[in-house]
Amino acid sequence: MSSAADSANPGGFQAFVDALDYPVHIVTTAVDGERAGCLVGFAGQCSIHPARFVVWISKANHTHRVAARARFVAVHLVPPGHGLAELFGSATGDEVDKFATAAWIPGPGGVPLLSGVPAWFVGQVLDRADWGDHTGFLLDPITARNDPAHATALTYRDVRGVEPGHPA
């Protein structure tokens, strides 16, 4: 639905979005031994009591196809300047095994937990919602690890130059 403001300034929304700088995350998941992971720009806490988090994954991604069948998803903070953002943002799991070069350990349900990140949590998938070119995955956090001494997170502006493995 558009409004008079949209008609008067069609670039207004894009200008608003361009002014934002929010954290990016790496999402990982696994089903039946198939691992997947990607860099995501849309994610956030959506409830306090009970604790809930939602992450949106592009339908074009290999990770989406695996997460659509998964019971668990891990969400990782990525420190600035970390090579993981390039690996998980510009390579596609359709062509590359990202986990062959990334250090990780198995978590609940075999979900890959990346080493060298300041924080991560694993959430049980409670719901999936189709929201345009992305699917929202509603997560119930079941376990987490946090290193407060290194909790600076990579942001959207930090990764604007990363060429995506798939179009959004």
Side-chain angles (χ1 to χ4, degrees):
M1 176 169 19
S2 65
S3 67
D6 293 334
S7 300
N9 185 7
F13 176 71
Q14 189 59 49
F16 174 84
V17 171
D18 289 345
L20 300 175
D21 194 23
Y22 36 84
V24 294
H25 303 82
I26 293 175
V27 169
T28 60
T29 192
V31 174
D32 299 328
E34 181 179 10
R35 297 179 303 265
C38 65
L39 187 69
V40 297
F42 307 137
Q45 184 176 355
C46 59
S47 177
I48 297 169
H49 300 291
R52 297 290 185 262
F53 195 90
V54 68
V55 60
W56 293 271
I57 302 174
S58 170
K59 293 176 183 176
N61 286 347
H62 172 256
T63 304
H64 184 277
R65 291 188 298 280
V66 178
R69 299 177 285 127
R71 185 170 172 216
F72 301 102
V73 170
V75 180
H76 303 78
L77 287 184
V78 186
H82 205 288
L84 287 175
E86 185 76 28
L87 175 63
F88 282 88
S90 65
T92 171
D94 292 322
E95 301 168 1
V96 174
D97 179 1
K98 300 173 193 181
F99 301 96
T101 57
W104 63 277
I105 60 170
V111 171
L113 302 175
L114 300 174
S115 302
V117 297
W120 54 258
F121 80 90
V122 176
Q124 182 174 350
V125 178
L126 297 179
D127 198 6
R128 294 168 180 87
D130 182 338
W131 291 330
D133 57 5
H134 285 64
T135 297
F137 292 79
L138 179 63
L139 305 177
D140 175 15
I142 61 167
T143 189
R145 194 213 66 170
N146 183 26
D147 179 1
H150 300 95
T152 304
L154 198 68
T155 68
Y156 180 71
R157 285 198 179 119
D158 295 328
V159 299
R160 282 195 176 165
V162 173
E163 290 295 322
H166 283 288

